[in-house]
Amino acid sequence: MSTSGLDAQSSKAEIEAILQVIASVEHAQNNELPEEFLRLFRADAIWTTGGGKRLFGIEEISAFTHQVLPGGMQDLTITFELEHVLFIRPDVAAVKLRQIYQTPEGPDVGSPLWVMAKENGRWLLTAAQNIGAPDDELDSATTSRPIFDPGR
């Protein structure tokens, strides 16, 4: 992980704080808790869903989240694995994740990139884009892309 501009102790503390945000996103999505999810965003955030829907600002993110999250995780679970953090500045980080959906049809893997900004001592989601990982990262037994299906 790149920690330019941060000493080792600061870097470790900031990564731990970022891991807490990742855990909160995972918890909010798995438990279908829109308000918990929305508290993790800046008011002017940009969010691009795995299906390519572009959302600008917390109002659009909120409307979309309240529409899809209740019931959207039925028969699904999601986990996030932190792959890399690049501190652009001490208070701005690019966070690369591996997102694994467990579905009745099998796993599907996403590759989100989150830009996070630290404001008033809290790391917040500022800009995010989610895409499916290449097919070669999927279990060879997987025959479909239930989450990142281009036809969805």
Side-chain angles (χ1 to χ4, degrees):
M1 285 185 222
S2 176
T3 57
S4 61
L6 294 177
D7 62 47
Q9 187 172 352
S10 295
S11 173
K12 184 176 179 180
E14 298 304 342
I15 290 170
E16 285 300 319
I18 289 168
L19 283 167
Q20 288 300 311
V21 175
I22 294 166
S24 293
V25 170
E26 186 176 299
H27 181 265
Q29 288 186 350
N30 281 325
N31 294 284
E32 299 185 339
L33 303 169
E35 297 309 318
E36 182 177 319
F37 180 67
L38 294 167
R39 281 193 295 269
L40 303 170
F41 288 87
R42 280 176 40 134
D44 59 351
I46 300 167
W47 184 264
T48 303
T49 69
K53 185 164 183 66
R54 296 172 308 281
L55 306 168
F56 301 98
I58 197 67
E59 292 83 16
E60 286 185 17
I61 297 167
S62 178
F64 178 81
T65 300
H66 281 97
Q67 177 185 3
V68 300
L69 196 52
M73 294 302 292
Q74 184 175 352
D75 298 325
L76 300 174
T77 58
I78 187 171
T79 56
F80 292 97
E81 298 170 2
L82 179 61
E83 290 188 317
H84 190 79
V85 175
L86 169 64
F87 288 98
I88 299 164
R89 298 187 328 216
D91 62 341
V92 177
V95 179
K96 191 63 179 163
L97 301 158
R98 181 176 169 87
Q99 177 183 48
I100 303 167
Y101 286 93
Q102 293 299 331
T103 77
E105 294 86 20
D108 205 349
V109 180
S111 184
L113 175 64
W114 297 348
V115 177
M116 299 179 71
K118 189 173 185 182
E119 297 183 3
N120 300 319
R122 284 183 63 214
W123 284 99
L124 297 172
L125 297 166
T126 304
Q129 172 119 17
N130 195 8
I131 61 170
D135 288 345
D136 62 0
E137 290 190 28
L138 295 173
D139 180 334
S140 61
T142 302
T143 58
S144 69
R145 299 298 303 262
I147 302 298
F148 297 101
D149 180 355
R152 249 182 134 177

